[in-house]
Amino acid sequence: MAELDALDRRLIDAFQRDLPLCPRPFAAMAERLGVSEAQVVQRLQALQRCEVLSRVGPVFDHARAGASLLAAVSVPEAERDAVAAAINRSPGVNHNYAREHRYNLWFVMTAADEVQLEARLEALEEELGRPLLRLPMVEGYHIDLGFPIPWAELEAP
Amino acid sequence: MSDSTCPSEPLAEDASVNGLDAIDRAIVLATQAGLPLVPDPWGAVGRPLGLAGDEVRARMQRMIDSGVIRRIAAVPNHYRLGYVANGMSVWDVDDARIDRLGREVAAVPGVSHCYRRPRHLPDWPYNLFVMLHGHTRDEVERQAEALRERLGDACRDHRILYSTRILKKTGLRLARRPGPPR
């Protein structure tokens, strides 16, 4: 795990949930943490460079910002990477994971609306020559407020 | 939306999709891979779009109010923080009890997402999807065991599908970093 000091941890803990939408958000963060705006910007850049932070920015609800759907497909292991590459090339695909199951490729298809979404899924099905398991979200029980990071536990031997 | 991979299918300029107009969508595209880390990120986002920073903020506030934006945040990469075991657990839960139990399960530590999805019988009997994160598979198994107890006789069967490889995590981000450890 990457080397993080106390300020890095406070930045991550405090701003996993809400970055203020004010004219100078990093200055507002800095004030809360008792450091300078330049320090906050530098730390965030460094955390992003070493990939501890994926990004700093808006987290979109894809279901509201457009249409999206979790899909899975079952492919022989030998063909998996070639099929995965075809899926990744397909417009609208934004996640693709290999998983241990008969359904071994899992991806999220996105589109501007439901009509475009279904058209993209059908086009991909035709290209792959395989049926897709369509798993739209029926209900979300979690509001995705971030993920409390148990720093002490991470450092336990 | 989030269609950075598909510039060949632009929407009509005046089309409003899910309450987002063309300018909102341009802001979504410009920010989905992260804000520029500069003192005035809104101004920096707005400049190439011909928008003032205040206008960018006002539109983002509207997207927060309408639920399009869940939050604006520093998004950690859990792999780099040691959470290398990522299990998608799937559960076959009694339809009559799933809404109550889903909300309970969503509050359990280690759970990042919890969704109800349709079954596809006979192939796919699972209707509750719960993402579990741990440092090791053992830890994920223990989390799943705790869920199993909580679901009790409402749950007929479950599986944990571990990811063995991330093959894509948005085009923009894929270009910037190699995959996490396998």
Side-chain angles (χ1 to χ4, degrees):
Chain A
M1 154 172 176
E3 291 282 332
L4 302 178
D5 70 11
L7 177 57
D8 293 326
R9 293 171 191 199
R10 287 167 62 214
L11 267 175
I12 295 169
D13 283 342
F15 298 101
Q16 264 200 82
R17 282 157 196 263
D18 266 312
L19 193 80
L21 189 59
C22 61
R24 299 286 287 258
F26 304 122
M29 292 166 73
E31 197 179 333
R32 259 174 73 180
L33 296 169
V35 297
S36 72
E37 182 186 43
Q39 267 178 300
V40 166
V41 169
Q42 271 168 21
R43 288 300 180 110
L44 291 175
Q45 286 169 344
L47 289 169
Q48 201 163 294
R49 207 160 42 233
C50 71
E51 298 174 348
V52 165
L53 291 180
S54 302
R55 66 187 190 281
V56 178
V59 176
F60 292 98
D61 181 339
H62 286 255
R64 285 183 202 253
S68 69
L69 178 140
L70 176 69
V73 61
S74 172
V75 299
E77 279 303 311
E79 295 171 39
R80 192 195 67 184
D81 287 358
V83 173
I87 292 171
N88 289 350
R89 276 196 306 274
S90 180
V93 171
N94 75 356
H95 286 72
N96 188 5
Y97 288 80
R99 294 193 181 277
E100 293 175 346
H101 189 267
R102 190 168 69 75
Y103 284 105
N104 50 353
L105 288 176
W106 290 76
F107 58 94
V108 174
M109 179 64 91
T110 66
D113 56 37
E114 296 294 334
V115 174
Q116 188 186 44
L117 182 70
E118 186 51 34
R120 287 179 169 182
L121 291 167
E122 282 173 16
L124 182 57
E125 248 170 357
E126 189 163 327
E127 184 189 344
L128 301 180
R130 299 169 191 282
L132 300 177
L133 187 64
R134 287 166 167 76
L135 297 163
M137 183 179 90
V138 176
E139 193 71 54
Y141 300 113
H142 207 277
I143 314 168
D144 189 19
L145 286 177
F147 197 70
I149 297 166
W151 299 108
E153 195 187 304
L154 284 171
E155 285 178 354
Chain B
M1 71 119 260
S2 92
D3 238 344
S4 54
T5 51
C6 189
S8 60
E9 292 179 43
L11 292 156
E13 275 297 304
D14 57 349
S16 169
V17 179
N18 295 313
L20 300 184
D21 67 14
I23 296 172
D24 292 327
R25 288 196 301 273
I27 292 173
V28 171
L29 287 179
T31 59
Q32 64 178 351
L35 292 171
L37 297 175
V38 295
D40 175 16
W42 322 116
V45 166
R47 215 161 293 127
L49 305 175
L51 298 173
D54 288 348
E55 173 73 10
V56 172
R57 279 199 304 129
R59 285 176 174 273
M60 291 186 83
Q61 185 60 55
R62 282 206 290 279
M63 288 191 261
I64 291 172
D65 295 340
S66 67
V68 167
I69 294 178
R70 285 193 180 128
R71 59 198 156 96
I72 301 176
V75 181
N77 173 353
H78 294 124
Y79 282 91
R80 290 285 286 163
L81 292 169
Y83 286 85
V84 294
N86 142 30
M88 183 177 75
S89 67
V90 293
W91 308 76
D92 175 3
V93 178
D94 179 7
D95 289 330
R97 288 182 274 179
I98 190 170
D99 284 335
R100 179 176 60 80
L101 289 166
R103 282 190 290 272
E104 277 184 41
V105 161
V108 170
V111 171
S112 70
H113 295 78
C114 182
Y115 296 125
R116 180 177 183 178
R117 300 186 188 277
R119 296 189 178 89
H120 292 272
L121 296 172
D123 238 23
W124 186 261
Y126 309 104
N127 57 345
L128 186 68
F129 285 61
V130 184
M131 290 301 312
L132 299 172
H133 301 273
H135 306 93
T136 62
R137 286 198 180 192
D138 279 352
E139 188 179 346
V140 171
E141 303 281 340
R142 285 195 300 275
Q143 291 165 349
E145 198 46 50
L147 295 191
R148 184 79 186 79
E149 277 174 33
R150 195 172 289 245
L151 294 171
D153 68 357
C155 172
R156 282 175 289 268
D157 186 19
H158 82 281
R159 295 281 307 261
I160 304 176
L161 279 63
Y162 290 100
S163 64
T164 49
R165 219 173 146 190
I166 296 182
L167 301 160
K168 184 174 193 180
K169 203 170 178 186
T170 84
L172 285 164
R173 274 177 277 156
L174 185 74
R176 278 209 313 233
R177 69 167 191 240
R182 289 174 66 170

